[in-house]
Amino acid sequence: QVQLVESGGGLVQAGESLRLSCAASGRIFRINTMAWYRQAPGKQRELVAAVTNGGSLNYADSVVGRFTISRDNVKNTVYLQMNSLKAEDTAVYYCHVVALSLGGSMVPYAYWGQGTQVTVSS
Protein backbone atom coordinates (compact mmCIF):
# COMPACT_ATOMS: atom_id res chain seq x y z
CA GLN A 1 0.00 0.00 0.00
CA VAL A 2 2.87 2.36 0.77
CA GLN A 3 6.25 2.18 -0.88
CA LEU A 4 9.42 3.98 0.11
CA VAL A 5 12.21 4.75 -2.32
CA GLU A 6 15.54 5.93 -0.96
CA SER A 7 18.36 7.66 -2.75
CA GLY A 8 21.44 9.74 -2.08
CA GLY A 9 23.86 7.33 -0.50
CA GLY A 10 27.43 6.98 -1.61
CA LEU A 11 31.08 7.05 -0.67
CA VAL A 12 32.58 10.28 0.60
CA GLN A 13 35.58 11.47 2.53
CA ALA A 14 35.35 12.57 6.13
CA GLY A 15 34.16 16.14 6.42
CA GLU A 16 32.08 16.01 3.26
CA SER A 17 28.31 16.01 2.95
CA LEU A 18 25.52 13.88 1.58
CA ARG A 19 21.80 14.32 1.36
CA LEU A 20 19.52 11.33 1.57
CA SER A 21 16.01 11.35 0.18
CA CYS A 22 13.09 9.07 0.82
CA ALA A 23 9.89 9.39 -1.16
CA ALA A 24 6.72 7.71 0.01
CA SER A 25 4.13 6.73 -2.55
CA GLY A 26 0.98 4.68 -2.80
CA ARG A 27 -2.39 4.94 -1.16
CA ILE A 28 -1.35 7.24 1.65
CA PHE A 29 -4.00 8.59 3.94
CA ARG A 30 -1.73 10.19 6.47
CA ILE A 31 1.90 10.07 7.43
CA ASN A 32 2.51 10.40 11.14
CA THR A 33 6.25 10.09 11.41
CA MET A 34 9.17 10.02 9.01
CA ALA A 35 12.55 8.99 10.23
CA TRP A 36 15.99 7.72 9.36
CA TYR A 37 17.64 4.75 10.98
CA ARG A 38 21.05 3.31 10.35
CA GLN A 39 22.73 0.00 10.91
CA ALA A 40 26.43 -0.71 10.83
CA PRO A 41 27.79 -4.25 10.47
CA GLY A 42 27.52 -6.16 13.71
CA LYS A 43 25.46 -3.46 15.38
CA GLN A 44 21.79 -2.92 16.04
CA ARG A 45 19.73 -0.57 13.99
CA GLU A 46 19.53 2.82 15.65
CA LEU A 47 17.43 5.92 15.23
CA VAL A 48 19.30 8.77 13.59
CA ALA A 49 16.62 11.41 13.22
CA ALA A 50 12.86 11.69 13.11
CA VAL A 51 10.21 14.27 12.36
CA THR A 52 6.56 13.96 13.33
CA ASN A 53 3.54 15.29 11.50
CA GLY A 54 3.42 18.09 14.03
CA GLY A 55 6.98 19.09 13.28
CA SER A 56 8.71 17.71 16.34
CA LEU A 57 12.31 16.76 15.69
CA ASN A 58 14.46 14.13 17.31
CA TYR A 59 18.14 13.44 16.74
CA ALA A 60 20.61 10.95 18.00
CA ASP A 61 23.20 12.64 20.18
CA SER A 62 25.95 11.56 17.83
CA VAL A 63 24.53 13.58 14.92
CA VAL A 64 23.28 16.71 16.65
CA GLY A 65 24.67 19.77 14.95
CA ARG A 66 25.73 17.82 11.87
CA PHE A 67 22.57 16.22 10.49
CA THR A 68 19.29 17.88 9.65
CA ILE A 69 16.05 16.08 8.93
CA SER A 70 13.37 17.83 6.92
CA ARG A 71 10.04 16.89 5.44
CA ASP A 72 8.15 17.93 2.34
CA ASN A 73 4.52 17.11 3.02
CA VAL A 74 3.44 17.90 -0.54
CA LYS A 75 5.88 15.41 -2.02
CA ASN A 76 5.66 12.99 0.91
CA THR A 77 9.42 13.05 1.03
CA VAL A 78 11.84 13.15 3.92
CA TYR A 79 15.43 14.28 3.63
CA LEU A 80 18.49 13.85 5.75
CA GLN A 81 21.19 16.44 5.21
CA MET A 82 24.41 14.96 6.51
CA ASN A 83 27.26 17.41 7.02
CA SER A 84 30.70 16.96 8.52
CA LEU A 85 30.49 13.25 7.97
CA LYS A 86 32.70 10.99 10.04
CA ALA A 87 33.89 7.46 9.50
CA GLU A 88 31.63 6.44 12.37
CA ASP A 89 28.64 7.45 10.26
CA THR A 90 29.31 4.58 7.87
CA ALA A 91 26.22 2.38 7.79
CA VAL A 92 23.20 1.38 5.80
CA TYR A 93 20.61 4.08 6.24
CA TYR A 94 16.96 3.12 6.25
CA CYS A 95 13.97 5.33 5.76
CA HIS A 96 11.14 4.66 8.18
CA VAL A 97 7.58 5.90 7.82
CA VAL A 98 4.60 5.42 10.09
CA ALA A 99 1.48 5.95 8.05
CA LEU A 100 -2.15 5.09 7.47
CA SER A 101 -3.20 3.85 4.03
CA LEU A 102 -6.24 4.89 2.05
CA GLY A 103 -8.83 2.14 2.22
CA GLY A 104 -6.98 0.43 5.02
CA SER A 105 -7.50 0.28 8.71
CA MET A 106 -7.00 3.26 10.93
CA VAL A 107 -4.12 1.54 12.65
CA PRO A 108 -0.77 3.14 11.82
CA TYR A 109 1.70 0.82 10.14
CA ALA A 110 5.44 1.07 9.94
CA TYR A 111 7.08 0.95 6.52
CA TRP A 112 10.77 0.55 5.77
CA GLY A 113 12.83 1.60 2.81
CA GLN A 114 15.28 -0.73 1.12
CA GLY A 115 18.30 0.96 2.67
CA THR A 116 21.05 3.03 1.12
CA GLN A 117 24.74 2.61 1.85
CA VAL A 118 26.69 5.53 3.25
CA THR A 119 30.43 5.02 3.46
CA VAL A 120 32.72 7.66 4.91
CA SER A 121 36.44 7.19 4.48
CA SER A 122 38.99 8.86 6.69
mmCIF file of all heavy atoms in Angstrom, residues 38-62:
data_model
loop_
_atom_site.group_PDB
_atom_site.id
_atom_site.type_symbol
_atom_site.label_atom_id
_atom_site.label_comp_id
_atom_site.label_asym_id
_atom_site.label_seq_id
_atom_site.Cartn_x
_atom_site.Cartn_y
_atom_site.Cartn_z
ATOM 1 N N ARG A 38 19.854 3.832 10.989
ATOM 2 C CA ARG A 38 21.046 3.311 10.350
ATOM 3 C C ARG A 38 21.517 2.058 11.080
ATOM 4 O O ARG A 38 21.249 1.864 12.260
ATOM 5 C CB ARG A 38 22.170 4.348 10.309
ATOM 6 C CG ARG A 38 22.753 4.721 11.662
ATOM 7 C CD ARG A 38 23.760 5.853 11.498
ATOM 8 N NE ARG A 38 24.358 6.248 12.769
ATOM 9 C CZ ARG A 38 25.148 7.300 12.922
ATOM 10 N NH1 ARG A 38 25.446 8.071 11.875
ATOM 11 N NH2 ARG A 38 25.658 7.583 14.116
ATOM 12 N N GLN A 39 22.219 1.232 10.347
ATOM 13 C CA GLN A 39 22.731 0.000 10.908
ATOM 14 C C GLN A 39 24.108 -0.280 10.332
ATOM 15 O O GLN A 39 24.265 -0.424 9.122
ATOM 16 C CB GLN A 39 21.789 -1.166 10.620
ATOM 17 C CG GLN A 39 22.174 -2.457 11.314
ATOM 18 C CD GLN A 39 21.071 -3.495 11.252
ATOM 19 O OE1 GLN A 39 20.203 -3.448 10.381
ATOM 20 N NE2 GLN A 39 21.090 -4.430 12.180
ATOM 21 N N ALA A 40 25.073 -0.351 11.212
ATOM 22 C CA ALA A 40 26.425 -0.706 10.830
ATOM 23 C C ALA A 40 26.615 -2.204 11.026
ATOM 24 O O ALA A 40 25.902 -2.833 11.819
ATOM 25 C CB ALA A 40 27.440 0.074 11.665
ATOM 26 N N PRO A 41 27.562 -2.808 10.321
ATOM 27 C CA PRO A 41 27.795 -4.246 10.467
ATOM 28 C C PRO A 41 28.048 -4.641 11.914
ATOM 29 O O PRO A 41 28.846 -4.016 12.611
ATOM 30 C CB PRO A 41 29.033 -4.489 9.602
ATOM 31 C CG PRO A 41 28.997 -3.412 8.577
ATOM 32 C CD PRO A 41 28.450 -2.216 9.304
ATOM 33 N N GLY A 42 27.349 -5.671 12.364
ATOM 34 C CA GLY A 42 27.525 -6.162 13.713
ATOM 35 C C GLY A 42 26.863 -5.334 14.792
ATOM 36 O O GLY A 42 27.025 -5.640 15.976
ATOM 37 N N LYS A 43 26.119 -4.315 14.414
ATOM 38 C CA LYS A 43 25.465 -3.457 15.381
ATOM 39 C C LYS A 43 23.968 -3.430 15.140
ATOM 40 O O LYS A 43 23.485 -3.773 14.060
ATOM 41 C CB LYS A 43 26.022 -2.034 15.321
ATOM 42 C CG LYS A 43 27.514 -1.930 15.571
ATOM 43 C CD LYS A 43 27.984 -0.486 15.552
ATOM 44 C CE LYS A 43 27.456 0.289 16.736
ATOM 45 N NZ LYS A 43 28.008 1.677 16.779
ATOM 46 N N GLN A 44 23.240 -3.040 16.162
ATOM 47 C CA GLN A 44 21.795 -2.924 16.042
ATOM 48 C C GLN A 44 21.409 -1.674 15.275
ATOM 49 O O GLN A 44 22.147 -0.692 15.244
ATOM 50 C CB GLN A 44 21.143 -2.901 17.425
ATOM 51 C CG GLN A 44 21.039 -4.252 18.108
ATOM 52 C CD GLN A 44 20.040 -4.230 19.247
ATOM 53 O OE1 GLN A 44 20.000 -3.272 20.032
ATOM 54 N NE2 GLN A 44 19.233 -5.268 19.341
ATOM 55 N N ARG A 45 20.258 -1.737 14.673
ATOM 56 C CA ARG A 45 19.733 -0.571 13.993
ATOM 57 C C ARG A 45 19.384 0.502 15.015
ATOM 58 O O ARG A 45 18.784 0.217 16.053
ATOM 59 C CB ARG A 45 18.501 -0.954 13.176
ATOM 60 C CG ARG A 45 18.011 0.123 12.239
ATOM 61 C CD ARG A 45 16.921 -0.412 11.305
ATOM 62 N NE ARG A 45 17.399 -1.520 10.484
ATOM 63 C CZ ARG A 45 16.681 -2.091 9.528
ATOM 64 N NH1 ARG A 45 15.460 -1.665 9.258
ATOM 65 N NH2 ARG A 45 17.197 -3.100 8.843
ATOM 66 N N GLU A 46 19.754 1.735 14.721
ATOM 67 C CA GLU A 46 19.529 2.820 15.648
ATOM 68 C C GLU A 46 18.850 3.992 14.958
ATOM 69 O O GLU A 46 19.034 4.228 13.760
ATOM 70 C CB GLU A 46 20.849 3.289 16.276
ATOM 71 C CG GLU A 46 21.831 3.890 15.278
ATOM 72 C CD GLU A 46 23.061 4.479 15.934
ATOM 73 O OE1 GLU A 46 23.082 4.607 17.175
ATOM 74 O OE2 GLU A 46 24.025 4.816 15.205
ATOM 75 N N LEU A 47 18.087 4.718 15.731
ATOM 76 C CA LEU A 47 17.429 5.916 15.225
ATOM 77 C C LEU A 47 18.449 7.021 15.045
ATOM 78 O O LEU A 47 19.229 7.316 15.947
ATOM 79 C CB LEU A 47 16.332 6.365 16.184
ATOM 80 C CG LEU A 47 15.610 7.673 15.824
ATOM 81 C CD1 LEU A 47 14.790 7.490 14.552
ATOM 82 C CD2 LEU A 47 14.721 8.130 16.971
ATOM 83 N N VAL A 48 18.422 7.648 13.881
ATOM 84 C CA VAL A 48 19.299 8.768 13.588
ATOM 85 C C VAL A 48 18.559 10.083 13.765
ATOM 86 O O VAL A 48 19.038 11.000 14.443
ATOM 87 C CB VAL A 48 19.870 8.676 12.165
ATOM 88 C CG1 VAL A 48 20.742 9.894 11.852
ATOM 89 C CG2 VAL A 48 20.660 7.391 11.994
ATOM 90 N N ALA A 49 17.404 10.194 13.144
ATOM 91 C CA ALA A 49 16.617 11.414 13.216
ATOM 92 C C ALA A 49 15.183 11.106 12.856
ATOM 93 O O ALA A 49 14.905 10.187 12.095
ATOM 94 C CB ALA A 49 17.185 12.492 12.284
ATOM 95 N N ALA A 50 14.270 11.893 13.393
ATOM 96 C CA ALA A 50 12.859 11.694 13.115
ATOM 97 C C ALA A 50 12.128 13.027 13.143
ATOM 98 O O ALA A 50 12.525 13.954 13.852
ATOM 99 C CB ALA A 50 12.233 10.736 14.129
ATOM 100 N N VAL A 51 11.071 13.103 12.371
ATOM 101 C CA VAL A 51 10.211 14.275 12.363
ATOM 102 C C VAL A 51 8.771 13.788 12.361
ATOM 103 O O VAL A 51 8.396 12.917 11.573
ATOM 104 C CB VAL A 51 10.507 15.201 11.166
ATOM 105 C CG1 VAL A 51 10.406 14.449 9.843
ATOM 106 C CG2 VAL A 51 9.573 16.403 11.172
ATOM 107 N N THR A 52 7.966 14.338 13.245
ATOM 108 C CA THR A 52 6.562 13.961 13.326
ATOM 109 C C THR A 52 5.723 14.848 12.425
ATOM 110 O O THR A 52 6.190 15.847 11.880
ATOM 111 C CB THR A 52 6.047 14.061 14.767
ATOM 112 O OG1 THR A 52 5.996 15.439 15.154
ATOM 113 C CG2 THR A 52 6.951 13.303 15.726
ATOM 114 N N ASN A 53 4.465 14.480 12.292
ATOM 115 C CA ASN A 53 3.544 15.285 11.499
ATOM 116 C C ASN A 53 3.382 16.681 12.079
ATOM 117 O O ASN A 53 3.129 17.637 11.345
ATOM 118 C CB ASN A 53 2.189 14.578 11.407
ATOM 119 C CG ASN A 53 1.216 15.307 10.504
ATOM 120 O OD1 ASN A 53 0.253 15.925 10.971
ATOM 121 N ND2 ASN A 53 1.466 15.254 9.206
ATOM 122 N N GLY A 54 3.525 16.795 13.383
ATOM 123 C CA GLY A 54 3.424 18.087 14.030
ATOM 124 C C GLY A 54 4.695 18.902 13.991
ATOM 125 O O GLY A 54 4.714 20.033 14.484
ATOM 126 N N GLY A 55 5.744 18.345 13.432
ATOM 127 C CA GLY A 55 6.982 19.085 13.277
ATOM 128 C C GLY A 55 8.009 18.869 14.370
ATOM 129 O O GLY A 55 9.062 19.515 14.358
ATOM 130 N N SER A 56 7.731 17.990 15.300
ATOM 131 C CA SER A 56 8.705 17.706 16.341
ATOM 132 C C SER A 56 9.895 16.959 15.759
ATOM 133 O O SER A 56 9.736 16.049 14.946
ATOM 134 C CB SER A 56 8.076 16.887 17.460
ATOM 135 O OG SER A 56 7.041 17.615 18.097
ATOM 136 N N LEU A 57 11.079 17.340 16.199
ATOM 137 C CA LEU A 57 12.310 16.765 15.691
ATOM 138 C C LEU A 57 13.036 16.004 16.785
ATOM 139 O O LEU A 57 13.049 16.421 17.942
ATOM 140 C CB LEU A 57 13.229 17.850 15.136
ATOM 141 C CG LEU A 57 12.654 18.742 14.040
ATOM 142 C CD1 LEU A 57 13.643 19.845 13.698
ATOM 143 C CD2 LEU A 57 12.315 17.926 12.805
ATOM 144 N N ASN A 58 13.648 14.908 16.399
ATOM 145 C CA ASN A 58 14.462 14.126 17.307
ATOM 146 C C ASN A 58 15.732 13.707 16.588
ATOM 147 O O ASN A 58 15.690 13.292 15.427
ATOM 148 C CB ASN A 58 13.714 12.885 17.797
ATOM 149 C CG ASN A 58 12.520 13.219 18.660
ATOM 150 O OD1 ASN A 58 12.666 13.622 19.809
ATOM 151 N ND2 ASN A 58 11.329 13.064 18.105
ATOM 152 N N TYR A 59 16.847 13.815 17.291
ATOM 153 C CA TYR A 59 18.136 13.441 16.738
ATOM 154 C C TYR A 59 18.902 12.589 17.716
ATOM 155 O O TYR A 59 18.812 12.782 18.935
ATOM 156 C CB TYR A 59 18.986 14.672 16.420
ATOM 157 C CG TYR A 59 18.467 15.541 15.309
ATOM 158 C CD1 TYR A 59 17.736 16.686 15.586
ATOM 159 C CD2 TYR A 59 18.728 15.227 13.981
ATOM 160 C CE1 TYR A 59 17.262 17.496 14.574
ATOM 161 C CE2 TYR A 59 18.266 16.036 12.960
ATOM 162 C CZ TYR A 59 17.536 17.170 13.256
ATOM 163 O OH TYR A 59 17.073 17.976 12.239
ATOM 164 N N ALA A 60 19.655 11.659 17.176
ATOM 165 C CA ALA A 60 20.608 10.947 17.997
ATOM 166 C C ALA A 60 21.688 11.917 18.449
ATOM 167 O O ALA A 60 22.071 12.823 17.704
ATOM 168 C CB ALA A 60 21.231 9.790 17.218
ATOM 169 N N ASP A 61 22.181 11.734 19.655
ATOM 170 C CA ASP A 61 23.198 12.638 20.181
ATOM 171 C C ASP A 61 24.426 12.712 19.273
ATOM 172 O O ASP A 61 25.051 13.772 19.145
ATOM 173 C CB ASP A 61 23.629 12.200 21.578
ATOM 174 C CG ASP A 61 22.554 12.432 22.628
ATOM 175 O OD1 ASP A 61 21.635 13.231 22.374
ATOM 176 O OD2 ASP A 61 22.645 11.818 23.706
ATOM 177 N N SER A 62 24.747 11.623 18.639
ATOM 178 C CA SER A 62 25.947 11.563 17.825
ATOM 179 C C SER A 62 25.869 12.399 16.549
ATOM 180 O O SER A 62 26.901 12.657 15.922
ATOM 181 C CB SER A 62 26.265 10.111 17.459
ATOM 182 O OG SER A 62 25.196 9.530 16.733
#
